[in-house]
Amino acid sequence: MILDQRIAVVTGASSGIGAATARLLASRGAKVALLARRTDRLDALADEIVAAGGDALAVAADTTDPITLAAAAERIGATYGAADLIVNNAGVMLPSAIQARNTTDWRREVDVNVSGVLNVIDAFLPGLLEAAASGRPADLVNMSSMTSHVVFPYMAVYNATKAAVSHLSRTMRTELGPQGVRVTVVEPAMTATELQGHVVDEGINAWVAQAREAFTWLDPNDVAEVVAFTTSRPAHVTLSQVVVYPTRQA
């Protein structure tokens, strides 16, 4: 699973699945651009990767802002060249009962989980097409969730945003696959990340705590391994959809 000569971009790289994926891709030989808003965490992760012998570039960017993403793509291109491996990972989860009408949270989830995903695609798709046209591997990995096809209460808007990402990915593959760009959607189930820390509802937090006790959750490194495996396949092989569950999660 060597990724030498690959130029990767990982969004949401300041924590969780994004940070784990960035570390692993760098350890497999990729040059990795780390994108997120928290520059202190990005700088620390870049230093960690470089100290371990990898190559990383910290780039502050907000996926909901196309201007910062365009600037990020330009900086990455000037430093490494056009990126050929995009891990579209940034996301938020703000569960609440639908009758609570937390419209600010609804808009935030749509902005980050849907519009942000599209903004990343807009910024980096030209590089993917360039890589594929030159005969290099080209990968777009969109991070969704098993909630895209499994119903959970109090997560209607989050579930809907992830369903949008999954269906977007499946449809994009029909357009981009014939041009040599592989499109993969990864759908993790319960994974121990910062997302759970965004929950403020006491009832939902109690359910989360119970679930933590009931079975062993995925670690971000488990999901990172899936991304590394998928993107290191021969160029003619695409894993279009990967659902990752903890073994004991029903």
Side-chain angles (χ1 to χ4, degrees), residues 115-199:
S115 296
V117 165
L118 291 170
N119 290 338
V120 171
I121 293 167
D122 179 51
F124 293 101
L125 182 56
L128 292 174
L129 290 169
E130 176 186 324
S134 67
R136 294 157 49 203
D139 287 281
L140 171 62
V141 180
N142 292 325
M143 197 63 61
S144 181
S145 167
M146 51 79 73
T147 63
S148 64
H149 47 84
V150 176
V151 173
F152 277 97
Y154 310 114
M155 297 178 67
V157 177
Y158 176 79
N159 293 2
T161 64
K162 290 304 183 178
V165 171
S166 291
H167 197 54
L168 170 71
S169 303
R170 288 189 290 267
T171 305
M172 286 180 62
R173 190 184 68 79
T174 67
E175 297 183 33
L176 298 178
Q179 299 181 69
V181 177
R182 302 187 291 198
V183 181
T184 299
V185 60
V186 178
E187 299 173 336
M190 303 300 285
T191 308
T193 71
E194 284 187 352
L195 285 183
Q196 294 84 38
H198 301 162
V199 180

Side-chain angles (χ1 to χ4, degrees), residues 23-148:
R23 288 189 190 95
L24 185 58
L25 296 182
S27 74
R28 302 279 167 86
K31 298 176 180 179
V32 183
L34 316 170
L35 269 64
R37 293 176 300 157
R38 293 179 289 186
T39 55
D40 55 338
R41 290 199 177 193
L42 290 184
D43 290 339
L45 179 57
D47 290 344
E48 175 191 335
I49 289 172
V50 171
D55 195 338
L57 176 69
V59 183
D62 184 343
T63 59
T64 67
D65 182 357
I67 294 175
T68 67
L69 281 175
E74 183 176 352
R75 182 181 172 196
I76 294 163
T79 304
Y80 290 148
D84 57 31
L85 197 171
I86 310 301
V87 183
N88 207 352
N89 167 75
V92 295
M93 182 179 70
L94 305 169
S96 64
I98 201 72
Q99 67 265 25
R101 299 167 61 202
N102 290 334
T103 56
T104 298
D105 287 352
W106 295 355
R107 285 191 293 271
R108 179 64 177 161
E109 288 180 306
V110 172
D111 286 347
V112 177
N113 297 351
V114 180
S115 296
V117 165
L118 291 170
N119 290 338
V120 171
I121 293 167
D122 179 51
F124 293 101
L125 182 56
L128 292 174
L129 290 169
E130 176 186 324
S134 67
R136 294 157 49 203
D139 287 281
L140 171 62
V141 180
N142 292 325
M143 197 63 61
S144 181
S145 167
M146 51 79 73
T147 63
S148 64

